[in-house]
Amino acid sequence: MISERPRPLRTCVGCGESKNKEALLRFSAGPDGSLVLNLRGRTGRGAYLCPTRACLELALKRKGFQRTLKVALAEIDKEGMLVFLS
Ligand SMILES: [Zn+2]
């Protein structure tokens, strides 16, 4: 099923703002409990984040990834994630 909605909105797990999903990075939980960037992923649960360091910090502080993905994540590799952020 393909949605005809022109602008699907997703909520950033950091700042909590709803944005066009093209403007956000999509992460999902890997099999080992790590957080993986999953830009094109359509399977499983995804957590969306603005591509900014500020939102990453907020998401980590609020445990936004864990709450959204509903899994216990291994320690998040913050330094690794900064590569994707501006
Ligand atoms: Zn944000």
Side-chain angles (χ1 to χ4, degrees), residues 40-86:
R40 295 172 179 278
R42 288 161 189 272
T43 57
R45 192 174 277 275
Y48 291 83
L49 182 77
C50 304
T52 66
R53 184 172 186 144
C55 282
L56 174 61
E57 301 276 3
L58 272 172
L60 295 178
K61 193 183 294 182
R62 298 167 55 177
K63 299 199 182 301
F65 291 111
Q66 289 90 334
R67 288 196 308 194
T68 301
L69 297 172
K70 300 194 190 303
V71 292
L73 293 168
E75 192 169 339
I76 293 173
D77 178 11
K78 185 173 149 188
E79 293 302 313
M81 290 181 69
L82 290 176
V83 175
F84 305 113
L85 309 177
S86 55

Side-chain angles (χ1 to χ4, degrees), residues 3-69:
S3 170
E4 293 296 322
R5 284 193 205 164
R7 295 184 66 227
L9 296 177
R10 295 292 182 272
T11 303
C12 171
V13 295
C15 63
E17 281 184 39
S18 292
K19 299 195 176 182
N20 190 330
K21 76 183 178 81
E22 274 74 48
L24 301 169
L25 296 173
R26 185 184 196 273
F27 292 90
S28 61
D32 58 353
S34 64
L35 195 64
V36 293
L37 185 66
N38 187 4
L39 285 179
R40 295 172 179 278
R42 288 161 189 272
T43 57
R45 192 174 277 275
Y48 291 83
L49 182 77
C50 304
T52 66
R53 184 172 186 144
C55 282
L56 174 61
E57 301 276 3
L58 272 172
L60 295 178
K61 193 183 294 182
R62 298 167 55 177
K63 299 199 182 301
F65 291 111
Q66 289 90 334
R67 288 196 308 194
T68 301
L69 297 172

